[in-house]
Amino acid sequence: MSKYSISTMVEWSDKAFERYGQSTIATRSKFLLSIIESLTDKKEIIIEVAVQETHLPAVRLQNEFGRTVNQIKLFATSILNGTYLEATIDPGDPHRQPFPKPDIRRLLIPIGPVVVFGASNFPLAFSTIGGDAVSALAAGCTVIYKSHPAHPQTSKLVFEAISEALKKNGLPLDTFIHLELSNEESQSLIMHPLVEAIGFTGSYTAGKLIYDLVQKRDKPIPVFAEMGSVNPIMVLVQKIREDMEELASSYASSLCLGVGQFCTNPGLIFIPETEKETFVALLREKLSAVTPQPMLTSQIAKDYHRKLSEFGKLDFGNGISEVSIDALPAIKVVDSDTWINTPLYHQEVFGPFGMVVTYNSTDDLADITKHLEGQLTITLWATEEELVQHKGIIHSLLRKCGRLLFKGVPTGVEVGHAMQHGGPFPATTDSRSTSVGTFAIKRFLKPIAFQDCPEALLPEELKDDNPLKVVRMVDGEMNL
Amino acid sequence: MSKYSISTMVEWSDKAFERYGQSTIATRSKFLLSIIESLTDKKEIIIEVAVQETHLPAVRLQNEFGRTVNQIKLFATSILNGTYLEATIDPGDPHRQPFPKPDIRRLLIPIGPVVVFGASNFPLAFSTIGGDAVSALAAGCTVIYKSHPAHPQTSKLVFEAISEALKKNGLPLDTFIHLELSNEESQSLIMHPLVEAIGFTGSYTAGKLIYDLVQKRDKPIPVFAEMGSVNPIMVLVQKIREDMEELASSYASSLCLGVGQFCTNPGLIFIPETEKETFVALLREKLSAVTPQPMLTSQIAKDYHRKLSEFGKLDFGNGISEVSIDALPAIKVVDSDTWINTPLYHQEVFGPFGMVVTYNSTDDLADITKHLEGQLTITLWATEEELVQHKGIIHSLLRKCGRLLFKGVPTGVEVGHAMQHGGPFPATTDSRSTSVGTFAIKRFLKPIAFQDCPEALLPEELKDDNPLKVVRMVDGEMNL
């Protein structure tokens, strides 16, 4: 911790918000693009340090660097058209009877200082200038970032790039405050009355702890905690018979990607009982080819091995040294009744572990869906004929997830406009939000209505002649 | 309570949601318009019963009936263009390197069964088919409505109209469940795991109780509680000198409207110290002309008189009988230092009571603003010259309210697209939401992304050829 108190630093952030919160879209866009420049200057050293700290392969980190940069670019460019501000104008009418109609203009404005907790598994794309931080900055909020202890030096380097960009653009340095904090200090940070929202990506345990603590604040604030899930895949019988080999192969690859350390890792798969033997045999074959890979930290590896031991006899993957930082994939096969009645089998295991659950008939899937917890993603592998025949399943699945896939695997989250990376609790604490894609910005905005405001005082986005040419709704009609 | 358990009835609502949640926009629009028909058939009896139950004048209830009908009509027509669904398409690209780009389509869908608590002060517009219920129904959610004990018969009549409309449109009757509940029963209702959101309008005490209780659920859900506020008016010196008479008159009328029982009642006004004597004298004169009016219930009148007694010596309005259901206006005048240091003077008094606070210089307003709690509205009475000169005040005020007025009074909330009826805590529990206007519908929706979904299975709003002609964002561009 620095020599200043948490309270002092939140006040600095709040003070910076007085200026940064009033910056124009163009200013913020330019600032975000400057961050890319500064990051790119440091790319080599950032990757080098991140490899040391996270044990992730350089090529994966290079990809993640690219993804991080693309994400910043997407926000920097997409805010420019101002669509995200939901500018809405209901013109007044002084002659309306029995009372004149006032002129009302609505706009989203930044909510205030935001606290962001980064994730261990994405040292770049979900950390210091990851999705939460960049969407808050794009919104016009100041950020107080809690550095992740699994990659402190990487975080510092990224922070330097952000500071350089702030300086270069003449913006308050306290727009982004970077802190290394103990758990106790983190707690006093989220309880500070001037903090207006929290972004978190990480484990259920840590996310729920933060959520519960925030509920004890005098003033409630939104908590956007993305806490991962088991991302079930449901395979229908016709489909698995048609593509058995390819599906087993896709599943095995997705399960082992990044040593299973993705929040969209498909830790649960439902297959027809009749196909069990063939599918599991194929899966074992694919997984046998996987070589041991180091996990992010030795603690995470220890947790993975401890968790596996709770599952008793595995159907693949016994006998891995429990002291190694390396992990190997594992699977457990049970029938759907056993799965429904065993709470342990519903839990996320952080690592390359898959629960394979067999079901008897497609009709069982309705009941299985009822027993699913909230998920970031659900994947439905079915032929189009099967989908049409079992259309009802889709509606039920939509109640349980944020993204429904009909092809491919849930890992590899696209960063775009249409992406929804969220889902019902316990996947997140707010199923109405996304932490990936441009809609992530909406989490850090709040609406304001200006009533009978003189033209000169209106924000540019709401002025009569629309100088910034933002998309607006005027008198109920969308107006480009 | 009925003979069925709370749990059974929530299950009915959930069951109805399986069908109603999949209804088309056109179906829901037609259903809402049918409610208007049924309500209109019962208009006379509804007004008659409401007058008896609420002591509100018939003319006021007739106006409120009109407002309620207009509100339903607004939702019924505005959902038709589908803009509120935020349909977003990121087309796929099978040739993208190094990986093919999936096709991702995002849409808002209804969140599930919603519990609604109506308000005593708007027996029609904020009750059984008020803003919360109608926005939830428009969204495609089923509603479990807790009838307000201050107007149970009015509520039943409105419920009958809703049931008739459901029948007429062949929709599940349990789409809208109407319950008279004890506090204990209400508690078990909001704790039920199948309930997905809560809408509430009423007092801070009741709203905060519900909010805190919901935090104890295993699964967190959003609570949209609108709990009122004191709706400060700030008057700048040049403006008050120019329009003294008119401002005093406007303030007195707004304060006494509906016997001060509006959530936007301006219970706090800041005036320059130099103008105190003239302004307060005018105010006394206007308020002296007000005749005693019955409040909504004798308990509310009792609370009003008790609360006034806590304020000690008043500057107007002493000597009202404490046992009457009637109320008269009252004011208390203090300087800004006293106001800042006396927590009692910041509290909402439900009734026609105004805190008049004097300040020395316009520069004091920054400090005063810091001490304001979150408000539904703030009104700034200033000349345009003053506004330009003290522009900084506007930014500070935006952090404290949902609607900023530059003319007129906060009472008389317009129902439109641009209205924001919300504000930072303690005005509401979620400053990012509104409970009036078409944006209220967004509270009861959640986003879903469909990844690589076959065209035949996509919701109409996301199909390639856009059969419903909804406004969509395609590849980052708004598309009409």
Side-chain angles (χ1 to χ4, degrees):
Chain A
M1 249 295 285
S2 96
K3 57 183 170 167
Y4 301 101
S5 72
I6 297 285
S7 190
T8 303
M9 282 182 293
V10 178
E11 279 160 26
W12 288 349
S13 182
D14 190 68
K15 183 86 192 150
F17 178 70
E18 278 176 28
R19 265 188 61 208
Y20 186 70
Q22 294 188 71
S23 61
T24 64
I25 290 178
T27 301
R28 293 204 293 279
S29 177
K30 210 166 141 267
F31 159 54
L32 293 177
L33 295 174
S34 294
I35 296 177
I36 297 179
E37 274 174 44
S38 298
L39 278 178
T40 308
D41 287 346
K42 294 180 201 297
K43 179 173 173 179
E44 218 168 306
I45 175 82
I46 288 175
I47 304 283
E48 198 184 310
V49 170
V51 168
Q52 284 165 22
E53 288 189 321
T54 64
H55 317 107
L56 292 170
V59 59
R60 143 77 201 268
L61 287 166
Q62 266 146 7
N63 283 339
E64 192 180 324
F65 188 94
R67 180 198 165 106
T68 309
V69 161
N70 285 339
Q71 182 166 265
I72 302 173
K73 202 181 288 169
L74 180 72
F75 278 98
T77 50
S78 72
I79 55 174
L80 282 173
N81 67 20
T83 308
Y84 78 103
L85 293 171
E86 295 178 359
T88 308
I89 300 179
D90 289 346
D93 175 6
H95 308 296
R96 189 186 62 176
Q97 290 304 326
F99 305 108
K101 186 180 172 206
D103 174 287
I104 303 183
R105 301 179 187 223
R106 179 185 186 273
L107 193 73
L108 298 181
I109 64 168
I111 200 165
V114 174
V115 168
V116 174
F117 291 84
S120 64
N121 59 346
F122 278 97
L124 304 171
F126 277 91
S127 287
T128 326
I129 193 67
D132 284 339
V134 79
S135 54
L137 290 174
C141 295
T142 53
V143 169
I144 306 169
Y145 182 75
K146 195 255 178 200
S147 166
H148 200 289
H151 51 262
Q153 298 310 318
T154 311
S155 194
K156 245 183 211 162
L157 286 167
V158 172
F159 169 59
E160 279 169 23
I162 301 168
S163 294
E164 282 169 22
L166 284 168
K167 263 183 226 153
K168 202 170 155 189
N169 287 272
L171 290 165
L173 275 183
D174 293 327
T175 296
F176 194 100
I177 293 176
H178 182 264
L179 299 174
E180 290 176 12
L181 298 176
S182 67
N183 286 347
E184 223 166 68
E185 289 164 333
S186 298
Q187 287 182 14
S188 72
L189 175 59
I190 63 179
M191 298 307 273
H192 196 286
L194 289 174
V195 169
E196 294 285 0
I198 291 169
F200 168 91
T201 308
S203 71
Y204 174 78
T205 314
K208 189 62 170 35
L209 203 81
I210 289 174
Y211 181 85
D212 288 342
L213 196 62
V214 167
Q215 306 321 313
K216 295 189 182 134
R217 287 172 56 109
D218 286 339
K219 173 185 165 177
I221 54 170
V223 178
F224 304 104
E226 191 271 84
M227 306 179 291
S229 60
V230 290
N231 305 291
I233 298 182
M234 287 185 171
V235 200
L236 268 56
V237 63
Q238 204 174 313
K239 180 70 180 178
I240 199 169
R241 283 182 187 156
E242 277 177 21
D243 295 326
M244 182 73 77
E245 172 89 32
E246 195 200 319
L247 296 182
S249 174
S250 290
Y251 183 68
S253 310
S254 181
L255 189 70
C256 298
L257 200 70
V259 205
Q261 299 166 114
F262 288 122
C263 41
T264 53
N265 188 57
L268 178 59
I269 185 165
F270 296 93
I271 56 165
E273 172 69 33
T274 49
E275 314 306 310
K276 177 170 98 171
E277 273 191 43
T278 327
F279 187 78
V280 172
L282 276 169
L283 207 53
R284 284 167 186 260
E285 187 192 313
K286 311 280 175 197
L287 296 176
S288 300
V290 177
T291 53
Q293 299 286 333
M295 297 192 82
L296 289 157
T297 67
S298 28
Q299 185 59 47
I300 287 175
K302 218 164 133 183
D303 289 345
Y304 175 62
H305 293 123
R306 184 185 47 71
K307 197 82 196 167
L308 283 193
S309 69
E310 290 176 21
F311 282 76
K313 198 185 158 300
L314 299 172
D315 292 85
F316 179 85
N318 291 304
I320 301 162
S321 158
E322 296 215 0
V323 292
S324 169
I325 193 174
D326 289 342
L328 272 173
I331 60 168
K332 171 101 183 169
V333 185
V334 299
D335 61 31
S336 59
D337 279 347
T338 309
W339 174 76
I340 285 174
N341 296 308
T342 316
L344 173 69
Y345 296 164
H346 295 243
Q347 285 177 22
E348 184 185 1
V349 177
F350 196 67
F353 170 72
M355 274 299 306
V356 180
V357 178
T358 60
Y359 65 87
N360 289 318
S361 111
T362 312
D363 295 339
D364 296 349
L365 292 176
D367 193 40
I368 285 173
T369 302
K370 273 197 187 132
H371 287 90
L372 282 176
E373 294 197 307
Q375 306 288 340
L376 292 170
T377 73
I378 296 179
T379 302
L380 193 53
W381 282 342
T383 62
E384 197 162 333
E385 200 189 326
E386 284 177 313
L387 288 173
V388 172
Q389 202 183 332
H390 304 285
K391 228 173 158 175
I393 295 178
I394 296 178
H395 182 67
S396 322
L397 293 179
L398 293 179
R399 295 188 69 179
K400 297 287 188 171
C401 70
R403 176 163 55 115
L404 187 59
L405 294 88
F406 296 80
K407 232 172 78 179
V409 290
T411 45
V413 182
E414 282 294 319
V415 181
H417 304 287
M419 178 46 69
Q420 171 59 17
H421 189 68
F425 184 86
T428 76
T429 49
D430 187 345
S431 68
R432 300 176 313 123
S433 71
T434 181
S435 62
V436 175
T438 48
F439 276 99
I441 199 172
K442 300 262 186 176
R443 298 175 298 168
F444 304 119
L445 297 165
K446 65 166 190 177
I448 283 286
F450 295 81
Q451 183 162 329
D452 290 325
C453 181
E455 173 80 7
L457 277 302
L458 279 169
E460 297 292 295
E461 292 84 358
L462 293 178
K463 283 191 198 293
D464 281 340
D465 58 353
N466 195 6
L468 303 181
K469 308 274 169 248
V470 302
V471 177
R472 314 195 286 197
M473 182 188 272
V474 180
D475 220 359
E477 295 292 329
M478 290 302 281
N479 208 310
L480 299 197
Chain B
M1 247 297 287
S2 97
K3 57 182 170 166
Y4 301 101
S5 71
I6 297 284
S7 190
T8 302
M9 281 182 293
V10 178
E11 278 160 28
W12 289 348
S13 181
D14 190 68
K15 183 87 192 152
F17 178 69
E18 278 176 28
R19 263 188 64 209
Y20 187 70
Q22 292 187 73
S23 61
T24 64
I25 290 178
T27 301
R28 293 203 293 278
S29 178
K30 209 165 141 270
F31 160 54
L32 293 177
L33 294 174
S34 294
I35 296 177
I36 297 180
E37 275 175 44
S38 299
L39 278 178
T40 308
D41 287 346
K42 295 181 199 297
K43 179 173 175 180
E44 220 168 303
I45 175 80
I46 288 174
I47 304 282
E48 198 185 310
V49 170
V51 167
Q52 284 165 20
E53 288 189 319
T54 64
H55 316 108
L56 292 170
V59 60
R60 143 73 202 270
L61 287 166
Q62 267 146 7
N63 283 337
E64 192 180 325
F65 187 95
R67 179 198 166 106
T68 309
V69 161
N70 285 339
Q71 183 166 264
I72 301 173
K73 202 181 288 169
L74 181 71
F75 278 99
T77 50
S78 74
I79 55 173
L80 282 173
N81 67 22
T83 308
Y84 78 101
L85 294 171
E86 297 178 358
T88 308
I89 300 179
D90 290 345
D93 176 5
H95 307 299
R96 188 184 67 175
Q97 291 302 327
F99 304 107
K101 187 180 172 206
D103 173 287
I104 302 183
R105 301 178 187 225
R106 180 185 186 274
L107 193 73
L108 297 182
I109 64 168
I111 200 165
V114 173
V115 168
V116 174
F117 292 83
S120 64
N121 59 344
F122 278 96
L124 303 171
F126 278 91
S127 288
T128 326
I129 193 67
D132 283 339
V134 80
S135 55
L137 290 174
C141 295
T142 54
V143 169
I144 305 167
Y145 182 75
K146 195 254 177 201
S147 165
H148 200 289
H151 50 263
Q153 299 310 320
T154 311
S155 194
K156 245 183 213 162
L157 287 167
V158 173
F159 169 59
E160 279 169 21
I162 301 169
S163 294
E164 282 169 23
L166 284 169
K167 262 182 227 152
K168 202 169 153 188
N169 288 271
L171 291 165
L173 276 183
D174 293 327
T175 296
F176 194 101
I177 293 176
H178 182 264
L179 300 174
E180 290 177 12
L181 299 176
S182 67
N183 286 348
E184 223 166 67
E185 289 164 333
S186 298
Q187 286 181 15
S188 72
L189 176 59
I190 63 179
M191 298 307 271
H192 196 286
L194 289 173
V195 169
E196 293 285 0
I198 290 169
F200 168 91
T201 308
S203 71
Y204 174 80
T205 313
K208 189 61 168 38
L209 205 80
I210 290 174
Y211 181 85
D212 288 342
L213 197 63
V214 168
Q215 305 322 311
K216 294 187 183 136
R217 286 172 56 108
D218 285 337
K219 173 186 166 177
I221 54 171
V223 178
F224 303 104
E226 191 272 83
M227 306 179 291
S229 61
V230 289
N231 305 292
I233 298 182
M234 287 185 170
V235 200
L236 268 55
V237 63
Q238 206 174 307
K239 180 71 179 176
I240 200 170
R241 284 183 187 154
E242 278 177 21
D243 294 328
M244 181 74 78
E245 173 87 31
E246 195 199 318
L247 296 182
S249 175
S250 291
Y251 183 68
S253 311
S254 180
L255 189 70
C256 298
L257 200 69
V259 204
Q261 300 167 117
F262 288 124
C263 43
T264 52
N265 187 59
L268 178 59
I269 185 165
F270 296 93
I271 56 165
E273 172 70 35
T274 50
E275 314 305 312
K276 177 171 99 173
E277 272 189 45
T278 328
F279 186 78
V280 171
L282 275 168
L283 207 53
R284 284 167 187 262
E285 187 191 313
K286 310 281 176 198
L287 296 177
S288 301
V290 176
T291 54
Q293 300 286 336
M295 297 192 81
L296 289 158
T297 68
S298 30
Q299 185 57 48
I300 287 175
K302 217 165 135 184
D303 288 345
Y304 175 61
H305 293 124
R306 186 185 46 72
K307 197 82 196 169
L308 284 193
S309 70
E310 291 176 21
F311 282 77
K313 198 182 158 300
L314 299 172
D315 293 85
F316 178 86
N318 292 304
I320 302 164
S321 157
E322 297 215 359
V323 292
S324 168
I325 194 175
D326 289 343
L328 273 172
I331 60 169
K332 171 99 184 170
V333 185
V334 299
D335 60 32
S336 59
D337 279 347
T338 309
W339 174 76
I340 285 174
N341 296 308
T342 315
L344 174 70
Y345 296 164
H346 296 243
Q347 285 178 22
E348 183 184 1
V349 177
F350 196 68
F353 170 73
M355 275 299 309
V356 181
V357 178
T358 61
Y359 64 87
N360 289 317
S361 111
T362 312
D363 294 340
D364 296 349
L365 292 177
D367 193 38
I368 285 173
T369 302
K370 273 196 187 133
H371 287 90
L372 281 176
E373 293 196 309
Q375 307 287 340
L376 292 170
T377 73
I378 296 178
T379 302
L380 193 53
W381 281 342
T383 63
E384 196 162 332
E385 201 188 328
E386 284 176 314
L387 287 173
V388 172
Q389 204 182 331
H390 303 285
K391 228 174 158 174
I393 295 178
I394 296 178
H395 182 67
S396 321
L397 292 179
L398 292 179
R399 295 189 68 178
K400 296 286 187 172
C401 70
R403 176 163 56 115
L404 188 58
L405 295 87
F406 296 80
K407 231 172 79 181
V409 291
T411 45
V413 182
E414 283 293 321
V415 181
H417 305 287
M419 178 47 69
Q420 170 60 16
H421 188 68
F425 184 87
T428 76
T429 48
D430 187 345
S431 67
R432 300 176 313 123
S433 71
T434 181
S435 62
V436 175
T438 47
F439 275 100
I441 200 173
K442 300 259 187 180
R443 297 175 299 167
F444 304 120
L445 297 165
K446 65 167 190 175
I448 283 287
F450 295 81
Q451 183 162 331
D452 290 325
C453 181
E455 174 80 6
L457 277 305
L458 279 169
E460 296 293 294
E461 293 84 359
L462 293 178
K463 284 193 198 290
D464 280 341
D465 57 352
N466 196 4
L468 305 181
K469 307 278 169 244
V470 303
V471 177
R472 315 196 285 197
M473 183 188 272
V474 180
D475 220 359
E477 296 292 330
M478 289 303 280
N479 208 309
L480 301 195

